[in-house]
Amino acid sequence: MRCTVGSPQYLRVLERRSSHDDLIDHLVRSTALPRGEAARVVLDVLAYFDETTEEFVRRRHRELQSGGAVNSEIFERIAAELPHRAVAPPELSLRQLRRIVYG
């Protein structure tokens, strides 16, 4: 997932202002990433894991739809992906997933 600094995910992460210097230092030591790139990677990962269930469902729906999948496939796939998130939400029915996307 690529986020821009102005995206809601980044804004939530940046609002916390918690320091992750130790993680950034580790990435600089263990990879060829310069410090600025390592900091961006940390922000990307934090923003990814900060995504709400609703944001995830809407994003995945857009991604799969733009790839040519139809809704019946899309919602089945999203339902299968949700339990594998870092913090899995409660199981949602296909109807609940549709309501997240379409209201």
Side-chain angles (χ1 to χ4, degrees), residues 8 21-22 27 29 31 38 46 53 58-59 71-72 84 88 97 101-102:
D21 287 338
D22 57 335
L27 287 173
R29 282 190 310 270
T31 68
L46 291 173
T53 299
R58 289 183 189 109
R59 176 179 60 80
N71 277 344
S72 58
H84 302 285
L97 294 173
V101 174
Y102 296 113

PDB file of all heavy atoms in Angstrom, residues 8 21-22 27 29 31 38 46 53 58-59 71-72 84 88 97 101-102:
ATOM      1  N   PRO A   8      -5.295  10.013   5.167  1.00  0.00           N
ATOM      2  CA  PRO A   8      -5.784   9.866   6.542  1.00  0.00           C
ATOM      3  C   PRO A   8      -4.945   8.913   7.378  1.00  0.00           C
ATOM      4  O   PRO A   8      -4.737   9.140   8.563  1.00  0.00           O
ATOM      5  CB  PRO A   8      -7.208   9.321   6.358  1.00  0.00           C
ATOM      6  CG  PRO A   8      -7.600   9.684   4.976  1.00  0.00           C
ATOM      7  CD  PRO A   8      -6.327   9.737   4.176  1.00  0.00           C
ATOM      8  N   ASP A  21      12.507   5.884  16.558  1.00  0.00           N
ATOM      9  CA  ASP A  21      13.908   6.019  16.169  1.00  0.00           C
ATOM     10  C   ASP A  21      14.667   4.702  16.268  1.00  0.00           C
ATOM     11  O   ASP A  21      15.525   4.422  15.439  1.00  0.00           O
ATOM     12  CB  ASP A  21      14.613   7.084  17.018  1.00  0.00           C
ATOM     13  CG  ASP A  21      14.191   8.489  16.632  1.00  0.00           C
ATOM     14  OD1 ASP A  21      13.709   8.676  15.497  1.00  0.00           O
ATOM     15  OD2 ASP A  21      14.348   9.391  17.473  1.00  0.00           O
ATOM     16  N   ASP A  22      14.346   3.886  17.280  1.00  0.00           N
ATOM     17  CA  ASP A  22      15.053   2.615  17.425  1.00  0.00           C
ATOM     18  C   ASP A  22      14.772   1.699  16.235  1.00  0.00           C
ATOM     19  O   ASP A  22      15.675   1.041  15.724  1.00  0.00           O
ATOM     20  CB  ASP A  22      14.701   1.924  18.743  1.00  0.00           C
ATOM     21  CG  ASP A  22      13.213   1.681  18.919  1.00  0.00           C
ATOM     22  OD1 ASP A  22      12.401   2.420  18.310  1.00  0.00           O
ATOM     23  OD2 ASP A  22      12.853   0.764  19.670  1.00  0.00           O
ATOM     24  N   LEU A  27      16.581  -0.432  10.874  1.00  0.00           N
ATOM     25  CA  LEU A  27      16.459  -0.562   9.417  1.00  0.00           C
ATOM     26  C   LEU A  27      17.684  -0.003   8.698  1.00  0.00           C
ATOM     27  O   LEU A  27      18.150  -0.582   7.718  1.00  0.00           O
ATOM     28  CB  LEU A  27      15.191   0.141   8.921  1.00  0.00           C
ATOM     29  CG  LEU A  27      13.879  -0.564   9.244  1.00  0.00           C
ATOM     30  CD1 LEU A  27      12.696   0.308   8.846  1.00  0.00           C
ATOM     31  CD2 LEU A  27      13.806  -1.909   8.548  1.00  0.00           C
ATOM     32  N   ARG A  29      20.722   0.136   9.890  1.00  0.00           N
ATOM     33  CA  ARG A  29      21.831  -0.799  10.119  1.00  0.00           C
ATOM     34  C   ARG A  29      21.688  -2.090   9.329  1.00  0.00           C
ATOM     35  O   ARG A  29      22.663  -2.651   8.850  1.00  0.00           O
ATOM     36  CB  ARG A  29      21.936  -1.159  11.610  1.00  0.00           C
ATOM     37  CG  ARG A  29      22.578  -0.120  12.479  1.00  0.00           C
ATOM     38  CD  ARG A  29      22.867  -0.672  13.877  1.00  0.00           C
ATOM     39  NE  ARG A  29      21.722  -1.340  14.491  1.00  0.00           N
ATOM     40  CZ  ARG A  29      20.802  -0.743  15.251  1.00  0.00           C
ATOM     41  NH1 ARG A  29      20.890   0.553  15.490  1.00  0.00           N
ATOM     42  NH2 ARG A  29      19.816  -1.430  15.778  1.00  0.00           N
ATOM     43  N   THR A  31      19.751  -2.742   6.552  1.00  0.00           N
ATOM     44  CA  THR A  31      19.432  -2.653   5.122  1.00  0.00           C
ATOM     45  C   THR A  31      20.310  -1.573   4.493  1.00  0.00           C
ATOM     46  O   THR A  31      21.081  -0.908   5.178  1.00  0.00           O
ATOM     47  CB  THR A  31      17.954  -2.278   4.883  1.00  0.00           C
ATOM     48  OG1 THR A  31      17.733  -0.932   5.312  1.00  0.00           O
ATOM     49  CG2 THR A  31      17.011  -3.216   5.608  1.00  0.00           C
ATOM     50  N   ALA A  38      14.148   4.898   5.386  1.00  0.00           N
ATOM     51  CA  ALA A  38      13.756   4.002   6.479  1.00  0.00           C
ATOM     52  C   ALA A  38      12.599   4.612   7.266  1.00  0.00           C
ATOM     53  O   ALA A  38      11.648   3.905   7.628  1.00  0.00           O
ATOM     54  CB  ALA A  38      14.948   3.732   7.392  1.00  0.00           C
ATOM     55  N   LEU A  46       3.251   1.573   9.593  1.00  0.00           N
ATOM     56  CA  LEU A  46       2.339   2.000  10.655  1.00  0.00           C
ATOM     57  C   LEU A  46       0.991   2.417  10.081  1.00  0.00           C
ATOM     58  O   LEU A  46      -0.059   2.092  10.634  1.00  0.00           O
ATOM     59  CB  LEU A  46       2.949   3.152  11.460  1.00  0.00           C
ATOM     60  CG  LEU A  46       4.153   2.777  12.319  1.00  0.00           C
ATOM     61  CD1 LEU A  46       4.766   4.026  12.928  1.00  0.00           C
ATOM     62  CD2 LEU A  46       3.769   1.782  13.399  1.00  0.00           C
ATOM     63  N   THR A  53     -11.062  -1.426   9.684  1.00  0.00           N
ATOM     64  CA  THR A  53     -11.688  -2.485   8.898  1.00  0.00           C
ATOM     65  C   THR A  53     -12.463  -1.891   7.731  1.00  0.00           C
ATOM     66  O   THR A  53     -12.345  -2.366   6.592  1.00  0.00           O
ATOM     67  CB  THR A  53     -12.629  -3.329   9.784  1.00  0.00           C
ATOM     68  OG1 THR A  53     -11.851  -3.924  10.827  1.00  0.00           O
ATOM     69  CG2 THR A  53     -13.337  -4.407   8.987  1.00  0.00           C
ATOM     70  N   ARG A  58     -13.135  -0.992   1.915  1.00  0.00           N
ATOM     71  CA  ARG A  58     -13.348  -0.081   0.788  1.00  0.00           C
ATOM     72  C   ARG A  58     -12.146  -0.069  -0.163  1.00  0.00           C
ATOM     73  O   ARG A  58     -12.294  -0.088  -1.377  1.00  0.00           O
ATOM     74  CB  ARG A  58     -13.642   1.319   1.296  1.00  0.00           C
ATOM     75  CG  ARG A  58     -15.006   1.438   1.942  1.00  0.00           C
ATOM     76  CD  ARG A  58     -15.310   2.870   2.383  1.00  0.00           C
ATOM     77  NE  ARG A  58     -16.521   2.887   3.167  1.00  0.00           N
ATOM     78  CZ  ARG A  58     -16.554   3.106   4.485  1.00  0.00           C
ATOM     79  NH1 ARG A  58     -15.452   3.376   5.151  1.00  0.00           N
ATOM     80  NH2 ARG A  58     -17.705   3.084   5.132  1.00  0.00           N
ATOM     81  N   ARG A  59     -10.940  -0.034   0.410  1.00  0.00           N
ATOM     82  CA  ARG A  59      -9.727  -0.010  -0.424  1.00  0.00           C
ATOM     83  C   ARG A  59      -9.607  -1.291  -1.242  1.00  0.00           C
ATOM     84  O   ARG A  59      -9.367  -1.259  -2.450  1.00  0.00           O
ATOM     85  CB  ARG A  59      -8.476   0.172   0.455  1.00  0.00           C
ATOM     86  CG  ARG A  59      -7.171   0.105  -0.351  1.00  0.00           C
ATOM     87  CD  ARG A  59      -5.947   0.315   0.517  1.00  0.00           C
ATOM     88  NE  ARG A  59      -5.794  -0.664   1.578  1.00  0.00           N
ATOM     89  CZ  ARG A  59      -5.303  -1.886   1.428  1.00  0.00           C
ATOM     90  NH1 ARG A  59      -4.933  -2.321   0.240  1.00  0.00           N
ATOM     91  NH2 ARG A  59      -5.166  -2.692   2.471  1.00  0.00           N
ATOM     92  N   ASN A  71     -18.348  -8.223  -8.081  1.00  0.00           N
ATOM     93  CA  ASN A  71     -18.660  -8.129  -6.656  1.00  0.00           C
ATOM     94  C   ASN A  71     -18.761  -9.472  -5.954  1.00  0.00           C
ATOM     95  O   ASN A  71     -18.305  -9.615  -4.825  1.00  0.00           O
ATOM     96  CB  ASN A  71     -19.936  -7.323  -6.443  1.00  0.00           C
ATOM     97  CG  ASN A  71     -19.670  -5.834  -6.435  1.00  0.00           C
ATOM     98  OD1 ASN A  71     -18.528  -5.397  -6.298  1.00  0.00           O
ATOM     99  ND2 ASN A  71     -20.717  -5.054  -6.589  1.00  0.00           N
ATOM    100  N   SER A  72     -19.357 -10.463  -6.583  1.00  0.00           N
ATOM    101  CA  SER A  72     -19.487 -11.760  -5.908  1.00  0.00           C
ATOM    102  C   SER A  72     -18.116 -12.324  -5.548  1.00  0.00           C
ATOM    103  O   SER A  72     -17.926 -12.875  -4.464  1.00  0.00           O
ATOM    104  CB  SER A  72     -20.274 -12.745  -6.765  1.00  0.00           C
ATOM    105  OG  SER A  72     -19.646 -12.916  -8.026  1.00  0.00           O
ATOM    106  N   HIS A  84      -6.859 -12.577   8.316  1.00  0.00           N
ATOM    107  CA  HIS A  84      -5.399 -12.605   8.269  1.00  0.00           C
ATOM    108  C   HIS A  84      -4.768 -11.237   8.492  1.00  0.00           C
ATOM    109  O   HIS A  84      -3.551 -11.101   8.391  1.00  0.00           O
ATOM    110  CB  HIS A  84      -4.932 -13.198   6.934  1.00  0.00           C
ATOM    111  CG  HIS A  84      -5.468 -14.574   6.722  1.00  0.00           C
ATOM    112  ND1 HIS A  84      -4.971 -15.677   7.390  1.00  0.00           N
ATOM    113  CD2 HIS A  84      -6.494 -15.027   5.968  1.00  0.00           C
ATOM    114  CE1 HIS A  84      -5.659 -16.749   7.034  1.00  0.00           C
ATOM    115  NE2 HIS A  84      -6.590 -16.376   6.173  1.00  0.00           N
ATOM    116  N   ALA A  88      -7.246  -8.970  13.538  1.00  0.00           N
ATOM    117  CA  ALA A  88      -8.411  -9.411  12.785  1.00  0.00           C
ATOM    118  C   ALA A  88      -9.692  -8.885  13.418  1.00  0.00           C
ATOM    119  O   ALA A  88      -9.876  -8.984  14.635  1.00  0.00           O
ATOM    120  CB  ALA A  88      -8.453 -10.930  12.714  1.00  0.00           C
ATOM    121  N   LEU A  97     -20.192  -6.649   4.594  1.00  0.00           N
ATOM    122  CA  LEU A  97     -19.141  -6.097   3.736  1.00  0.00           C
ATOM    123  C   LEU A  97     -19.742  -5.195   2.659  1.00  0.00           C
ATOM    124  O   LEU A  97     -19.231  -4.110   2.391  1.00  0.00           O
ATOM    125  CB  LEU A  97     -18.329  -7.222   3.108  1.00  0.00           C
ATOM    126  CG  LEU A  97     -17.500  -8.067   4.075  1.00  0.00           C
ATOM    127  CD1 LEU A  97     -16.880  -9.256   3.346  1.00  0.00           C
ATOM    128  CD2 LEU A  97     -16.429  -7.225   4.745  1.00  0.00           C
ATOM    129  N   VAL A 101     -19.235  -0.923   1.899  1.00  0.00           N
ATOM    130  CA  VAL A 101     -18.883  -0.311   0.620  1.00  0.00           C
ATOM    131  C   VAL A 101     -20.001   0.588   0.096  1.00  0.00           C
ATOM    132  O   VAL A 101     -19.755   1.709  -0.322  1.00  0.00           O
ATOM    133  CB  VAL A 101     -18.519  -1.385  -0.434  1.00  0.00           C
ATOM    134  CG1 VAL A 101     -18.298  -0.769  -1.812  1.00  0.00           C
ATOM    135  CG2 VAL A 101     -17.281  -2.156   0.009  1.00  0.00           C
ATOM    136  N   TYR A 102     -21.229   0.118   0.153  1.00  0.00           N
ATOM    137  CA  TYR A 102     -22.329   0.827  -0.495  1.00  0.00           C
ATOM    138  C   TYR A 102     -23.271   1.559   0.444  1.00  0.00           C
ATOM    139  O   TYR A 102     -24.176   2.249   0.023  1.00  0.00           O
ATOM    140  CB  TYR A 102     -23.143  -0.150  -1.362  1.00  0.00           C
ATOM    141  CG  TYR A 102     -22.328  -0.699  -2.500  1.00  0.00           C
ATOM    142  CD1 TYR A 102     -21.986  -2.040  -2.549  1.00  0.00           C
ATOM    143  CD2 TYR A 102     -21.878   0.129  -3.513  1.00  0.00           C
ATOM    144  CE1 TYR A 102     -21.233  -2.551  -3.592  1.00  0.00           C
ATOM    145  CE2 TYR A 102     -21.121  -0.369  -4.562  1.00  0.00           C
ATOM    146  CZ  TYR A 102     -20.810  -1.702  -4.583  1.00  0.00           C
ATOM    147  OH  TYR A 102     -20.062  -2.188  -5.617  1.00  0.00           O
TER     148      TYR A 102
END
